[in-house]
Amino acid sequence: MERASLEDRRFNDEIDKLTGYKTKSLLCMPIRNSDGEIIGVAQAINKTPGGAPFSDDDEKVMQMYLPFCGIAISNAQLFAASRKEYDRSRALLEVVNDLFEEQTDLEKIVKKIMHRAQTLLKCERCSVLLLEDIESPVVKFTKSFELLSPKCSADTDNSFKDSVEKSSYSDWLINNSIAELVASTGLPVNISDAYQDPRFDAEADQISGFHIRSVLCVPIWNSTHQIIGVAQVLNRLDGKSFDDADQRLFEAFVIFCGLGINNTIMYDQVKKSWAKQSVALDVLSYHATCSKAEVDKFKAANIPLVSELGIDNIHFDDFSLDVDAMITAALRMFMELGMVQKFKIDYETLCRWLLTVRKNYRMVLYHNWRHAFNVCQLMFAMLTTAGFQEILSEIEILALIVGCLCHDLDHRGTNNAFQAKSGSALAQLYGTSATLEHHHFNHAVMILQSEGHNIFANLSSKDYSDLMQLLKQSILATDLTLYFERRTEFFELVSRGGYDWNIKKHREIFRSMLMTACDLGAVTKPWEISRQAAELVTSEFFEQGDRERSELKLTPSAIFDRNRKHELPRLQLEWIDSICMPLYECLVKLNVKLKPMLDSVAVNRGKWEELHQKKLPSQVTSSSSFSSTFTMSLKDIN
């Protein structure tokens, strides 16, 4: 607290001389906040009336009122700070809202965020520069988005200049020296006086014609913490430098800017993926679907009866029908099982779908259209012979029949193990578990989604959903790895008589075992048919072994090694004993009407045993001695 008069040496009369005001007496006291800190001063000048000096009582009065003044000032400052924080928080929330509103256009989302940042930070210029290659050690910007305040744009009245995308440097672009530094180091830069900072390129600034005073530049990161660009603001409108609060706020804005950029990039990738799928469907429609003439031919054809085709026979000759006869036989199976009527399947669509499914099997030695048809025929025979039609629902039967026809779609003549060893595109797309089976299912879905191929079009939404789930289970069940995971439980349930058709899991396991039994069904056919099928599949295995040797520089296992083809009888014995026989024995326990299948397996095993003994006349070797080794190599077979 101080009192002064005109004669006081502490008094400076310069202000009076400038203003013409005559100061006679003065009372000055500090203003303190609630913590006792001085936050200002209060002055009383020239007491009235008469110009008498300020008294002790005056001091007491002023001293009594000043705490209220301190409270008012502190409250005003607190309110101003709160208001500022509220405005900043609201701006960030608006940015979040912008992200949800716009996720498809990179320029629009960046422009929105820059506009809000520039408005809140009150700066002359704001820019975002994106890197051309985030993996490259050389910093090169491929895109630049710029916003100028009205003050800095003579051509713009009461609005911000639109963002401008640049693919190369030009005089219009701002000084990029600091931006390049931030992009290379990943560290923010806050410069209060650009021309005094050695990192700043003053010459480039002079060429651009835009004078930079202060710079705040921060990196933009993507979701994997890689720098994808930088954002910077220039020259606060009030002439001050950017403070720590400005930097924190701008860094928060840039986080959302990174999210926005990442979202739009992901959206673009999704669009490209969709485009690839669209192209694939287009190619499928043009190249891999049947012609109208083919559809018309089968639509008008007389379909032979089941008895004429012999498709209800467990011991059906897999090689008896030509490629067209197999289509008519498949049509007969759909009609005989009542699926065309029950599910209102359009007959022309069914013809088209069957022909396209046939066309989407490759010309490989064994896993081709004939194999798919034979698996379906055996399923049909088992369903009708053993009376499984009374156990399974109509939608389950439909899923099994369609699953059999589609279970090896687009098979390449190589197995899952080869996909994994070679690192094929299929292995990369689906992983190493049931690689081909997932591909077969997805290929089946793609055909169903092609125009004029949806044989399930008239199903209710629930039935359609259930059917697609059942279809996927059916096709994946042909993976031998899954068969081995489930068969122990199946064998135990059947052995102890605990099979319950009302339990969903029991039904699912049973359907899986049916799919495997049909997939391996060639072993249940008469000897000449079974042997021919075994030689075909072995030849396909040999071709894979040749590729393993030439392309992968690997020594193939015995069943894939052409140089060991003399071991075919032994390998067939191991195949029957380890995989086939236990399954068919269990199915016969479940339903004795399937015994003819087991009998054929036993006969065929005897034939392979004879051939094996001829190869080893001096040895009496039980095939079971090989079973453990063979079981260990099942992953190679699958």
Side-chain angles (χ1 to χ4, degrees):
M1 174 193 66
E2 295 290 340
R3 281 183 285 178
S5 63
L6 192 60
E7 292 75 30
D8 198 307
R9 292 181 178 181
R10 295 170 296 178
F11 180 76
N12 188 335
D13 63 349
E14 290 297 321
I15 300 298
D16 279 10
K17 291 178 181 178
L18 290 173
T19 63
Y21 187 81
K22 299 298 181 181
T23 302
K24 300 176 181 178
S25 58
L26 183 147
L27 175 59
C28 185
M29 301 179 70
I31 303 173
R32 302 178 185 272
N33 62 17
S34 58
D35 295 323
E37 299 170 329
I38 295 175
I39 59 173
V41 294
Q43 289 187 142
I45 302 174
N46 294 351
K47 182 177 179 179
T48 59
F54 292 99
S55 65
D56 291 341
D57 289 336
D58 294 329
E59 290 181 20
K60 290 178 182 179
V61 170
M62 189 172 186
Q63 196 170 27
M64 182 177 63
Y65 278 100
L66 284 184
F68 296 103
C69 185
I71 293 172
I73 292 173
S74 294
N75 286 345
Q77 290 175 335
L78 182 61
F79 176 80
S82 299
R83 181 71 189 186
K84 186 175 182 180
E85 192 61 33
Y86 168 79
D87 290 340
R88 294 187 172 197
S89 298
R90 186 180 62 180
L92 289 176
L93 287 174
E94 289 171 344
V95 168
V96 174
N97 186 59
D98 290 341
L99 289 178
F100 283 102
E101 286 184 348
E102 180 55 67
Q103 299 187 50
T104 63
D105 190 300
L106 178 63
E107 182 174 348
K108 284 183 180 179
I109 188 61
V110 172
K111 177 182 175 181
K112 281 186 176 182
I113 295 173
M114 288 166 58
H115 186 284
R116 296 192 187 284
Q118 186 182 43
T119 302
L120 202 62
L121 292 173
K122 295 180 173 56
C123 58
E124 293 181 358
R125 200 164 190 166
C126 181
S127 65
V128 170
L129 297 94
L130 301 183
L131 290 172
E132 184 178 65
D133 183 2
I134 62 176
E135 302 290 347
S136 174
V138 179
V139 174
K140 184 177 180 182
F141 297 114
T142 183
K143 292 182 179 180
S144 174
F145 302 91
E146 301 273 345
L147 277 180
L148 278 73
S149 70
K151 175 183 176 181
C152 301
S153 177
D155 300 325
T156 304
D157 297 324
N158 300 320
S159 65
F160 288 91
K161 179 178 286 187
D162 289 340
S163 299
V164 180
E165 179 178 316
K166 296 285 183 178
S167 57
S168 60
Y169 293 104
S170 73
D171 289 342
W172 187 85
L173 289 178
I174 63 170
N175 188 314
N176 285 325
S177 59
I178 301 301
E180 291 167 354
L181 175 66
V182 172
S184 61
T185 63
L187 300 174
V189 169
N190 190 345
I191 300 174
S192 58
D193 189 344
Y195 275 72
Q196 298 301 315
D197 196 296
R199 298 168 295 181
F200 182 76
D201 186 353
E203 184 176 350
D205 187 52
Q206 293 166 358
I207 293 174
S208 71
F210 180 83
H211 181 66
I212 298 175
R213 300 186 305 277
S214 55
V215 180
L216 175 56
C217 186
V218 299
I220 303 172
W221 305 86
N222 65 11
S223 57
T224 57
H225 206 65
Q226 293 174 297
I227 295 175
I228 58 175
V230 298
Q232 58 184 359
V233 286
L234 306 174
N235 300 354
R236 274 181 50 158
L237 292 175
D238 60 7
K240 297 179 181 178
S241 59
F242 297 102
D243 57 25
D244 291 341
D246 292 329
Q247 182 171 327
R248 288 195 300 271
L249 179 64
F250 192 50
E251 287 176 334
F253 269 100
V254 168
I255 291 174
F256 292 111
C257 188
L259 288 172
I261 293 169
N262 193 60
N263 286 349
T264 54
I265 290 173
M266 288 177 64
Y267 176 81
D268 188 58
Q269 291 173 343
V270 169
K271 284 202 302 183
K272 288 180 179 177
S273 296
W274 177 87
K276 288 179 181 178
Q277 183 182 10
S278 180
V279 169
L281 287 170
D282 183 56
V283 169
L284 178 67
S285 298
Y286 188 82
H287 294 287
T289 59
C290 57
S291 67
K292 184 179 184 301
E294 288 178 299
V295 175
D296 291 342
K297 170 186 171 182
F298 285 97
K299 183 181 177 183
N302 290 320
I303 308 300
L305 299 174
V306 169
S307 57
E308 296 176 73
L309 293 164
I311 53 177
D312 58 342
N313 188 350
I314 290 287
H315 293 143
F316 173 80
D317 183 351
D318 288 357
F319 303 97
S320 62
L321 301 181
D322 62 27
V323 290
D324 283 351
M326 285 187 279
I327 294 292
T328 58
L331 286 167
R332 173 52 66 189
M333 285 188 275
F334 273 86
M335 290 187 288
E336 192 69 20
L337 292 169
M339 292 184 290
V340 175
Q341 299 86 349
K342 167 63 181 177
F343 297 106
K344 298 181 176 60
I345 298 175
D346 180 74
Y347 190 71
E348 181 178 333
T349 301
L350 179 60
C351 293
R352 185 181 296 108
W353 176 80
L354 280 169
L355 287 164
T356 296
V357 166
R358 180 180 73 178
K359 201 165 186 177
N360 278 268
Y361 274 91
R362 300 194 180 198
M363 300 297 288
V364 295
L365 288 170
Y366 182 75
H367 291 95
N368 48 37
W369 161 247
R370 181 173 294 280
H371 167 66
F373 170 79
N374 289 333
V375 172
C376 184
Q377 179 277 322
L378 187 54
M379 179 65 75
F380 175 81
M382 291 177 71
L383 289 171
T384 55
T385 299
F388 292 139
Q389 281 178 284
E390 284 71 46
I391 295 172
L392 297 172
S393 68
E394 291 170 317
I395 202 164
E396 286 176 309
I397 292 172
L398 178 59
L400 288 171
I401 293 296
V402 173
C404 288
L405 291 170
C406 297
H407 83 282
D408 272 334
L409 272 169
D410 197 45
H411 199 292
R412 283 89 190 285
T414 52
N415 62 7
N416 286 334
F418 182 86
Q419 309 306 319
K421 292 174 187 175
S422 62
S424 69
L426 288 177
Q428 294 178 41
L429 183 60
Y430 299 110
T432 56
S433 176
T435 304
L436 287 169
E437 289 73 24
H438 279 101
H439 177 58
H440 303 325
F441 170 71
N442 286 341
H443 203 87
V445 172
M446 185 169 66
I447 293 174
L448 286 167
Q449 290 177 342
S450 299
E451 185 176 356
H453 289 78
N454 189 2
I455 58 175
F456 306 145
N458 292 320
L459 272 66
S460 67
S461 58
K462 182 183 185 306
D463 283 347
Y464 187 89
S465 177
D466 292 344
L467 179 59
M468 294 307 293
Q469 185 64 31
L470 292 169
L471 178 60
K472 185 174 185 178
Q473 290 172 0
S474 299
I475 293 176
L476 294 186
T478 59
D479 176 15
L480 279 181
T481 302
L482 186 61
Y483 162 66
F484 270 87
E485 289 176 0
R486 290 185 165 184
R487 75 172 192 171
T488 301
E489 183 177 2
F490 177 67
F491 293 170
E492 290 176 353
L493 284 169
V494 173
S495 179
R496 68 171 185 259
Y499 225 86
D500 187 343
W501 300 108
N502 294 315
I503 297 177
K504 183 179 179 181
K505 185 178 180 183
H506 288 194
R507 297 174 74 90
E508 182 181 341
I509 294 174
F510 174 67
R511 293 194 307 271
S512 296
M513 295 300 117
L514 277 185
M515 287 298 298
T516 302
C518 294
D519 195 19
L520 309 181
V523 75
T524 70
K525 299 302 176 74
W527 168 245
E528 289 303 325
I529 300 170
S530 183
R531 177 172 180 168
Q532 187 177 349
E535 289 173 347
L536 282 173
V537 73
T538 301
S539 295
E540 187 176 285
F541 283 174
F542 286 163
E543 290 193 356
Q544 175 177 313
D546 294 342
R547 291 185 62 184
E548 289 180 3
R549 200 185 303 275
S550 62
E551 297 175 18
L552 306 181
K553 309 304 178 187
L554 298 173
T555 301
S557 57
I559 201 168
F560 296 95
D561 194 344
R562 189 181 301 278
N563 299 328
R564 300 172 67 177
K565 60 183 178 182
H566 58 279
E567 298 182 40
L568 176 60
R570 174 180 70 83
L571 295 171
Q572 283 298 312
L573 288 171
E574 294 169 350
W575 171 261
I576 291 171
D577 290 344
S578 298
I579 298 178
C580 304
M581 188 69 79
L583 174 60
Y584 295 110
E585 286 176 342
C586 191
L587 286 171
V588 170
K589 289 179 183 177
L590 193 63
N591 192 313
V592 73
K593 292 179 181 179
L594 298 179
K595 192 172 184 301
M597 298 178 72
L598 181 61
D599 292 341
S600 290
V601 176
V603 170
N604 291 333
R605 189 196 183 285
K607 293 289 187 179
W608 288 116
E609 181 69 40
E610 289 176 16
L611 291 175
H612 176 57
Q613 294 304 326
K614 288 179 181 178
K615 295 288 182 181
L616 301 171
S618 61
Q619 300 180 29
V620 181
T621 308
S622 170
S623 63
S624 62
S625 63
F626 299 103
S627 61
S628 61
T629 303
F630 185 71
T631 302
M632 290 296 289
S633 65
L634 283 176
K635 61 181 180 180
D636 294 321
I637 296 174
N638 197 43

